[in-house]
Amino acid sequence: MDDANNSVVSEFVLLGLCNSGDLQIFLFLLFSILYLIIILGNILIILSAISDPNLHSPMYFLLANLSFVDLWLSSVTTPKMIVDFFRESKTISFGGCMCQIFFGHFVGGGEMVLLVVMAYDRYVAICKPLHYTNIMSQQRCIGLVLISWTIGFVHSMSQLAMVMDLPFCGPREMDSFFCDLPLVIELACMDTYVLGLMVNADSGILALICFFLLLISYTHILLTVYHHSADGAAKALSTCTAHIMVVVIFFGPCIFIYLWPLNITSVDKFLAVFYTVFTPLLNPAIYTLRNKEMKVALRKLGSQYVNLKWNS
């Protein structure tokens, strides 16, 4: 961005979630507790997957990576949102705004692809069990995770490139609690209709491709499960149900934010909060509450911590 643009608008003003003082105190306490649960819950899942030999399998390796991604997803916007509840002037620098856009799309795009990788893992495990070990080798798993991060990075850079050099000279207020890309584009001093379509198409194409791949994978899985024995089908269906719930929770807000924008401020804010706070919270809860091996590993980890503290 040139010096003229930087000299005109060096920061943006975020209007936040609400104006009521009492409600802001309540939301501060609520989101502080939720953010702490997100951090602790996802860290526990990562530590359990690393420390328990019974969880050294591709499925739990990918689950640990999902928890790592969710740590980043919640940390891109939530800490500033929490701090801003006690600020009258909720400002964010131009550089900080661009960082939120970059990391938000980087992590969000990477998680979309990672969910596809997790669906592929379940597809191989259920539909091709005899070849599972060979197909989902450690090298293959690491490679697939790296691909998810790479696609997220490329997607984020493409989004950032379209907004970085826009001329900002006029209004600088956004009715949001973070730098939401469509709202930032609306503040540019130029006709941004075509650019807005390009930005939504960029995110929409990635989301649609991932969503359709997920539908194909889980359709194959469910058809295979239908022809399996009752015991095997029940266990496989339980695992897939957890995955499908995560997919719906993650892609639901994306569809309404980018593919089918409602342009209703209150709804947009709710979807943004759901995407950045509740999705990273619900993902570990769904997987741990529905997974016996993970619950056992968490109990072991808790017992080891208690014994360590007791002995010290």
Side-chain angles (χ1 to χ4, degrees):
M1 187 171 181
D2 57 35
D3 293 337
N5 290 337
N6 277 324
S7 65
V8 175
V9 174
S10 60
E11 64 180 15
F12 297 101
V13 178
L14 304 173
L15 298 183
L17 289 177
C18 63
N19 296 319
S20 170
D22 293 337
L23 184 56
Q24 289 193 69
I25 293 175
F26 169 75
L27 292 176
F28 168 80
L29 295 173
L30 174 64
F31 289 124
S32 296
I33 294 171
L34 292 179
Y35 183 62
L36 182 61
I37 294 172
I38 290 169
I39 298 300
L40 293 177
N42 282 293
I43 288 177
L44 284 174
I45 289 176
I46 295 171
L47 293 177
S48 297
I50 294 173
S51 62
D52 194 329
N54 294 324
L55 301 185
H56 291 175
S57 66
M59 184 177 78
Y60 294 107
F61 171 76
L62 297 174
L63 177 57
N65 276 276
L66 179 64
S67 291
F68 180 72
V69 171
D70 280 334
L71 285 174
W72 280 92
L73 182 63
S74 62
S75 299
V76 171
T77 59
T78 307
K80 177 166 177 53
M81 176 184 66
I82 292 172
V83 172
D84 280 349
F85 283 127
F86 288 107
R87 288 180 177 172
E88 281 200 32
S89 179
K90 302 174 176 62
T91 60
I92 183 170
S93 67
F94 180 85
C97 184
M98 295 302 107
C99 283
Q100 279 196 341
I101 291 174
F102 172 77
F103 285 107
H105 285 270
F106 179 24
V107 177
E111 181 158 346
M112 287 183 188
V113 181
L114 184 59
L115 289 173
V116 175
V117 173
M118 296 178 72
Y120 175 70
D121 170 72
R122 291 300 85 202
Y123 164 76
V124 176
I126 295 171
C127 300
K128 300 182 179 181
L130 298 179
H131 303 284
Y132 179 72
T133 304
N134 292 329
I135 296 176
M136 296 302 295
S137 62
Q138 184 178 12
Q139 292 80 4
R140 178 70 59 83
C141 289
I142 294 173
L144 290 172
V145 170
L146 290 176
I147 288 173
S148 71
W149 282 103
T150 301
I151 293 176
F153 177 79
V154 172
H155 164 68
S156 182
M157 288 300 295
S158 67
Q159 295 285 77
L160 194 63
M162 287 189 278
V163 70
M164 192 72 179
D165 290 326
L166 288 177
F168 295 101
C169 58
R172 58 195 186 103
E173 290 187 347
M174 282 183 282
D175 195 1
S176 181
F177 61 92
F178 73 107
C179 276
D180 195 5
L181 187 54
L183 296 181
V184 173
I185 292 175
E186 289 179 1
L187 299 180
C189 301
M190 59 177 287
D191 184 4
T192 58
Y193 177 75
V194 175
L195 182 62
L197 292 178
M198 291 173 61
V199 167
N200 285 341
D202 190 352
S203 296
I205 289 172
L206 177 61
L208 279 177
I209 291 174
C210 292
F211 190 67
F212 281 124
L213 289 175
L214 288 164
L215 286 179
I216 293 170
S217 297
Y218 287 119
T219 299
H220 277 286
I221 290 171
L222 293 175
L223 289 175
T224 303
V225 165
Y226 179 76
H227 296 96
H228 275 186
S229 62
D231 293 338
K235 184 176 181 180
L237 189 59
S238 176
T239 301
C240 290
T241 301
H243 283 238
I244 293 171
M245 288 173 65
V246 170
V247 169
V248 172
I249 290 170
F250 184 83
F251 280 91
C254 288
I255 291 172
F256 287 103
I257 291 173
Y258 292 104
L259 298 179
W260 190 11
L262 298 176
N263 295 321
I264 303 173
T265 302
S266 58
V267 176
D268 288 342
K269 287 183 179 181
F270 170 77
L271 292 173
V273 169
F274 192 88
Y275 183 76
T276 58
V277 178
F278 289 98
T279 297
L281 175 69
L282 293 174
N283 282 0
I286 290 172
Y287 280 111
T288 54
L289 292 177
R290 298 180 63 88
N291 191 297
K292 293 181 180 178
E293 290 85 355
M294 182 58 70
K295 286 190 286 187
V296 171
L298 289 172
R299 291 194 196 100
K300 287 182 181 178
L301 188 64
S303 300
Q304 291 173 1
Y305 176 77
V306 170
N307 292 333
L308 183 63
K309 295 293 287 184
W310 180 263
N311 293 331
S312 63

